[in-house]
Amino acid sequence: MTFLQYWLVNHPTIVNFSWTQGQTPGSSPLFLTLTVISYLSITCLLTHLHLPPIKPNLLKLITVVHNIVLLVLSLIMAVGCILSTLLHPPHLHWIICIPPQTPPTGPLFFWAYVFYLSKILEFLDTLLIILSGSIKRLTFLHVYHHSTVVIMCYIWLHTSQSLFPAVLMTNASVHVLMYTYYLSCALGLRPRWKRLVTECQILQFKYSFLAMAVMLWFHFTGLGCSGIWGWCFNIVFYASLLVLFVDFHAKNYGGSKSIKVCDLDKRP
């Protein structure tokens, strides 16, 4: 525990982290805007070009490495955020409600920053789909999710938004499951729990609404919670994703309403 505590919470780089707009790499509105526009433009361009085929073995190697990196990174972010939540903030209720005027500094916001950068790295998911020739898998849900979640993570940092630790821990944990599945597929295995990965995401969104309601209760019955306007963006984003994932689930799994397995298929 001491080893993990130092490297994931108390390391000087983590403890002394500070998000400063215009100074921290990737913190400017211009960077965010150009990143999202570039992702959408390149995705649109590549889907209309006839790219030369990549050797299957090379594509498999790239896919395996990509999934291993994101699997390990997701696990580190989940553990890092959990330990930071338990050991760093003065009160555990920071997981739901961060006090107003809290500056985006320290371990919790360091992991929010890593999570933000990881969402840009996940743009490679889209490129791998295109290179594999499986354009049909490149759904509106996939592109919308990848492009908008980056904006959400930026708002977390820019507003010191409450509730992000809970969302980060949950989402990173589900991504460990998701990239384990994709890694298995890239290695030639076909786990029977593919469906396990959209329904967990659906559950995540549903429980997020409950957590957001609890945050509102803290906000209006106490001294307030930080990042309330970011909360407004999140609830609209989560609602839209929930609708899209439920629709995807219905089309791919016969519309079953019972959740027996967990399926976060970001690359449907």
Side-chain angles (χ1 to χ4, degrees):
M1 176 61 75
T2 303
F3 175 82
L4 290 177
Q5 185 175 337
Y6 175 76
W7 287 105
L8 299 180
V9 182
N10 294 329
H11 189 278
T13 301
I14 299 176
V15 170
N16 298 322
F17 173 78
S18 178
W19 167 274
T20 304
Q21 191 178 65
Q23 296 183 20
T24 306
S27 64
S28 70
L30 178 61
F31 174 85
L32 176 66
T33 302
L34 291 178
T35 297
V36 175
I37 290 177
S38 297
Y39 168 71
L40 294 174
S41 300
I42 293 173
T43 299
C44 181
L45 177 64
L46 292 180
T47 54
H48 289 84
L49 291 177
H50 296 288
L51 299 176
I54 295 181
K55 294 181 179 180
N57 288 339
L58 177 58
L59 182 59
K60 178 180 178 179
L61 177 61
I62 295 173
T63 303
V64 167
V65 172
H66 174 69
N67 286 314
I68 289 176
V69 169
L70 286 173
L71 169 59
V72 174
L73 181 58
S74 297
L75 180 60
I76 292 174
M77 288 189 294
V79 175
C81 189
I82 291 172
L83 291 179
S84 297
T85 301
L86 294 175
L87 301 173
H88 184 72
H91 300 287
L92 191 58
H93 79 268
W94 273 41
I95 193 174
I96 295 291
C97 179
I98 297 175
Q101 309 305 317
T102 298
T105 60
L108 271 181
F109 291 96
F110 171 83
W111 291 113
Y113 180 61
V114 174
F115 192 76
Y116 165 60
L117 297 179
S118 76
K119 295 306 168 186
I120 298 175
L121 178 60
E122 286 181 12
F123 286 171
L124 291 176
D125 286 354
T126 307
L127 178 61
L128 290 175
I129 290 176
I130 295 173
L131 293 177
S132 68
S134 305
I135 301 299
K136 290 183 179 180
R137 293 168 54 207
L138 196 60
T139 63
F140 173 78
L141 166 59
H142 174 96
V143 177
Y144 172 71
H145 186 186
H146 276 69
S147 57
T148 311
V149 75
V150 176
I151 301 173
M152 180 192 75
C153 295
Y154 181 91
I155 293 174
W156 285 1
L157 290 155
H158 184 63
T159 66
S160 297
Q161 187 182 323
S162 296
L163 201 62
F164 86 77
V167 176
L168 195 162
M169 287 184 283
T170 305
N171 189 264
S173 298
V174 175
H175 276 60
V176 171
L177 177 68
M178 184 185 76
Y179 284 108
T180 298
Y181 172 79
Y182 289 137
L183 176 60
S184 300
C185 292
L187 293 173
L189 305 174
R190 278 290 174 181
R192 295 185 178 181
W193 42 270
K194 175 180 184 290
R195 182 175 177 178
L196 180 66
V197 183
T198 306
E199 291 173 349
C200 252
Q201 187 75 334
I202 292 173
L203 279 177
Q204 175 187 320
F205 294 135
K206 290 181 177 180
Y207 288 126
S208 292
F209 289 120
L210 176 61
M212 294 174 94
V214 174
M215 175 197 155
L216 274 188
W217 183 81
F218 276 115
H219 181 72
F220 289 110
T221 60
L223 298 176
C225 298
S226 180
I228 192 65
W229 73 265
W231 177 94
C232 296
F233 176 90
N234 272 22
I235 197 167
V236 173
F237 179 48
Y238 290 157
S240 63
L241 281 181
L242 178 59
V243 170
L244 290 170
F245 270 101
V246 169
D247 178 66
F248 171 77
H249 182 275
K251 291 178 179 177
N252 287 269
Y253 304 113
S256 173
K257 294 183 179 179
S258 61
I259 297 184
K260 301 177 181 177
V261 273
C262 223
D263 186 11
L264 157 60
D265 204 337
K266 273 197 348 181
R267 292 182 284 183

